[in-house]
Amino acid sequence: MSKEYYEQGKTAWVTVDSCAGNLLVKSWSDSRIAVQGEHEAEEKDGIWTLGSSGSLTVWLPAGTSLSIHSVQGDLVVKGVDGELQVDTVEGDFVVKMIGVAGATIEAVHGDLAVRSVDGPLQLGTIDGDVACRNVGSLRIDTVHGDLAARYVEGDAAVGEVMGDVSLHTVNGDVAIAHAHRDVNAGNLGGTVDVKQSDGDIRLRGSLSAGKHHLTARGDIVVRWPAKAPLRIHATASSFTNRLPLEEVEEQPGESNGRTSLTGRIGDGETVLNLDAGGRIVLKETGEADWETDFEAGWAGAAAGAAVDLGGLAEQISTEIGARMAEFGARMEERFGGDYAQRMAEKAARKAERAVARAARRMEQQQRRGYSWDVPPAPPASPPPPPKPRRQQPAAEEQVKILSMLEKGIISVEEAETLLSALES
């Protein structure tokens, strides 16, 4: 299907009123707007408005701002250097390379992936997971899945996250109102205020001078540089301290069974207030962290389990159960029954969420049955015959290989060799 061209309007804005399929928007060097796919176009007050009952691809000139009201499928926006405003996306949403004006996204019912937004990123309600990287600043109301943000130039203000929160390298202040799972944070440049985490909080690295607050119903683990200044005020059910604190005072609670601890390193201009329902662990940066290693291992196991294509759900469920029993027994021997049970349940939740996300994505793909339509360049000569498709590795064989890797029967290199052999 050929492109249709439209001259840029007076206001340099383009509006997509509705798209019943998938929508792909990207910039190009031409001064005109180009549209591919069945659509309607109308210009009013210098603004072009587009609508489509199917999928659509749109090319925008440099400097154009974009407003999207409704997309029933997936949405990809790449290289728009004006402002981006999005109301509702029913599927997944990928954003890449947006200009200094930033982006405002009200609602996404699938997952959201954002990369390279020079200006502020403001999010309303995201039903799936959110992954952000290289953004000017971040403001989020609600995320029903997990949130991962990395390289935020300004502040990061988060309302409510139903899953886990992971923040790495935020130059401004961090504020989290309510995280229903764990919070993992490191390399933070401003003040930190986590008002409530229903799971654990893990903080890595020092913080700027000022007052910081972390509150968790579970445990709090702080990995702090031994020579970085610190003044700590903490309350928990128990403490494990491996930091070279001075003027340490530890006082047991008289009625609630909780203990308070205070101490300092250096001038103590950085004040860290901790309140944990479980235990508080203070470590020097650089110590081995078995919890982090465990989660990384289970992330790989969950990714392996995510090859469920409709026929392996029962096998994956059984495998998760077996691994949970094995892990629980090992952790109980090392750390006691209650702590082992909490860690085992946490691992099971992570694996189950990974499988659920894979199943949801598979269902979406089967329901929609689409492929992006990108206009081909006119061939100078007859095109070569298409290359035969490589058969995907059998899902059952992949799971077996990943299971052997997890149990230590084979090495990473051997697993890669076996997976490559399946793909050939």
Side-chain angles (χ1 to χ4, degrees):
M1 182 179 297
S2 61
K3 299 177 185 175
E4 294 190 37
Y5 298 89
Y6 304 95
E7 294 296 331
Q8 177 67 276
K10 298 178 181 178
T11 64
W13 271 90
V14 170
T15 297
V16 178
D17 187 47
S18 64
C19 179
N22 305 298
L23 176 61
L24 170 61
V25 182
K26 52 186 177 179
S27 63
W28 68 340
S29 58
D30 201 301
S31 62
R32 299 169 296 174
I33 301 165
V35 183
Q36 185 180 45
E38 296 294 334
H39 68 281
E40 304 81 35
E42 179 184 8
E43 183 184 15
K44 185 177 181 181
D45 298 329
I47 300 176
W48 280 104
T49 300
L50 307 174
S52 175
S53 58
S55 294
L56 209 60
T57 303
V58 180
W59 290 262
L60 298 179
T64 304
S65 294
L66 176 65
S67 174
I68 299 174
H69 294 322
S70 174
V71 177
Q72 297 299 310
D74 294 340
L75 172 61
V76 175
V77 177
K78 181 178 179 181
V80 175
D81 53 6
E83 186 175 354
L84 175 64
Q85 297 178 355
V86 178
D87 290 342
T88 304
V89 179
E90 297 294 336
D92 297 332
F93 187 6
V94 177
V95 183
K96 186 175 182 181
M97 295 188 300
I98 304 300
V100 294
T104 300
I105 301 167
E106 295 296 335
V108 177
H109 295 292
D111 297 333
L112 172 64
V114 180
R115 184 171 183 179
S116 301
V117 175
D118 292 339
L121 175 63
Q122 300 185 44
L123 307 179
T125 300
I126 312 300
D127 289 340
D129 297 335
V130 175
C132 303
R133 185 183 180 97
N134 295 105
V135 298
S137 64
L138 183 62
R139 181 174 296 274
I140 302 176
D141 291 341
T142 305
V143 177
H144 289 277
D146 298 334
L147 167 64
R150 192 176 184 92
Y151 305 126
V152 180
E153 184 64 29
D155 298 340
V158 180
E160 187 173 24
V161 179
M162 305 303 177
D164 295 328
V165 176
S166 177
L167 300 177
H168 189 282
T169 310
V170 179
N171 293 332
D173 297 338
V174 170
I176 300 175
H178 190 181
H180 289 256
R181 300 291 190 190
D182 297 343
V183 175
N184 297 278
N187 197 25
L188 307 181
T191 59
V192 179
D193 184 9
V194 180
K195 295 188 180 299
Q196 181 176 340
S197 170
D198 293 344
D200 301 334
I201 296 178
R202 298 178 186 85
L203 174 67
R204 178 186 289 270
S206 61
L207 298 173
S208 62
K211 294 183 178 180
H212 310 268
H213 302 266
L214 304 178
T215 303
R217 290 187 178 179
D219 301 333
I220 297 179
V221 179
V222 176
R223 301 172 64 82
W224 193 268
K227 296 182 180 180
L230 172 67
R231 185 174 297 276
I232 189 167
H233 301 274
T235 303
S237 61
S238 63
F239 289 91
T240 300
N241 177 33
R242 299 177 187 170
L243 289 178
L245 296 177
E246 301 175 2
E247 301 177 2
V248 177
E249 292 186 11
E250 188 169 345
Q251 297 179 348
E254 296 181 358
S255 59
N256 57 11
R258 288 159 58 78
T259 302
S260 64
L261 179 144
T262 60
R264 69 175 179 85
I265 299 176
D267 57 23
E269 293 183 357
T270 299
V271 180
L272 186 57
N273 298 282
L274 306 177
D275 189 341
R279 62 174 185 157
I280 289 179
V281 179
L282 306 175
K283 302 180 180 181
E284 291 187 24
T285 302
E287 293 184 15
D289 189 344
W290 70 269
E291 293 170 325
T292 304
D293 294 340
F294 161 73
E295 289 183 354
W298 259 98
V307 300
D308 175 13
L309 300 177
L312 295 179
E314 183 176 354
Q315 177 182 341
I316 290 172
S317 178
T318 301
E319 185 170 348
I320 289 175
R323 294 188 184 187
M324 285 303 95
E326 178 184 350
F327 173 77
R330 190 166 62 250
M331 292 301 103
E332 183 173 357
E333 181 180 350
R334 293 184 61 187
F335 299 98
D338 293 342
Y339 190 66
Q341 179 65 22
R342 292 214 322 273
M343 292 304 299
E345 290 174 353
K346 186 185 301 182
R349 289 196 303 266
K350 288 180 178 292
E352 288 167 359
R353 287 204 304 272
V355 174
R357 286 196 297 269
R360 185 177 70 242
R361 185 176 295 277
M362 178 194 67
E363 182 181 354
Q364 290 174 346
Q365 299 291 341
Q366 289 177 340
R367 185 174 64 249
R368 294 170 188 152
Y370 67 86
S371 61
W372 292 110
D373 293 323
V374 178
S381 60
K387 296 181 179 180
R389 289 174 174 259
R390 291 195 305 175
Q391 295 295 324
Q392 292 297 321
E396 293 177 315
E397 295 300 325
Q398 285 185 327
V399 170
K400 290 178 182 178
I401 294 170
L402 292 169
S403 176
M404 289 190 292
L405 174 62
E406 175 69 17
K407 294 175 181 178
I409 299 173
I410 60 176
S411 66
V412 174
E413 292 76 12
E414 290 170 334
E416 291 177 348
T417 301
L418 291 171
L419 289 172
S420 299
L422 285 174
E423 293 176 355
S424 59

